[in-house]
Coordinates of all heavy atoms in Angstrom, one line a residue:
A198 N 81.3 -5.2 78.8 CA 82.2 -4.2 78.2 C 82.9 -3.4 79.3 O 82.2 -2.9 80.3 CB 81.4 -3.3 77.3
F199 N 84.2 -3.3 79.2 CA 84.9 -2.5 80.1 C 85.0 -1.0 79.6 O 85.4 -0.8 78.4 CB 86.3 -3.1 80.2 CG 86.3 -4.5 80.6 CD1 86.7 -5.5 79.7 CD2 85.9 -4.9 81.9 CE1 86.6 -6.9 80.1 CE2 85.9 -6.2 82.2 CZ 86.2 -7.1 81.3
V200 N 84.7 -0.1 80.5 CA 84.7 1.3 80.1 C 86.1 1.9 80.5 O 86.6 1.9 81.6 CB 83.6 2.1 81.0 CG1 83.6 3.6 80.6 CG2 82.3 1.5 80.7
I201 N 86.7 2.6 79.5 CA 88.0 3.0 79.7 C 87.9 4.3 80.4 O 87.1 5.2 80.1 CB 88.8 3.2 78.3 CG1 89.1 1.9 77.7 CG2 90.1 3.9 78.6 CD1 89.9 0.9 78.5
G202 N 88.8 4.5 81.5 CA 88.6 5.6 82.3 C 89.7 6.7 82.3 O 89.5 7.8 82.9
K203 N 90.8 6.5 81.5 CA 91.7 7.5 81.2 C 92.5 7.3 79.9 O 92.5 6.1 79.4 CB 92.7 7.6 82.4 CG 93.6 6.4 82.5 CD 94.7 6.7 83.7 CE 95.7 5.6 83.9 NZ 96.7 5.8 84.9
D204 N 93.0 8.3 79.3 CA 93.6 8.2 78.1 C 95.1 7.6 78.3 O 95.7 7.8 79.3 CB 93.9 9.7 77.4 CG 92.5 10.3 77.1 OD1 91.5 9.7 77.0 OD2 92.6 11.6 76.8
S205 N 95.4 6.9 77.2 CA 96.9 6.4 77.1 C 97.5 7.2 76.0 O 96.9 7.9 75.2 CB 96.9 4.9 76.9 OG 96.5 4.6 75.6
S206 N 98.8 7.1 75.9 CA 99.5 7.9 74.9 C 99.7 7.2 73.7 O 100.1 6.0 73.7 CB 100.9 8.3 75.6 OG 100.8 9.1 76.8
C207 N 99.5 7.9 72.6 CA 99.7 7.3 71.3 C 101.1 6.9 71.1 O 102.0 7.6 71.4 CB 99.2 8.2 70.2 SG 99.2 7.5 68.6
G208 N 101.4 5.6 70.7 CA 102.7 5.2 70.5 C 103.4 4.5 71.8 O 104.5 4.0 71.7
Q209 N 102.7 4.5 72.9 CA 103.1 4.0 74.1 C 102.2 2.8 74.6 O 101.1 3.0 75.1 CB 103.1 5.0 75.3 CG 103.6 4.6 76.6 CD 105.2 4.2 76.5 OE1 105.9 4.9 75.9 NE2 105.5 2.9 77.0

Side-chain angles (χ1 to χ4, degrees):
F199 305 107
V200 180
I201 296 302
K203 66 176 182 178
D204 294 348
S205 69
S206 299
C207 190
Q209 182 63 51

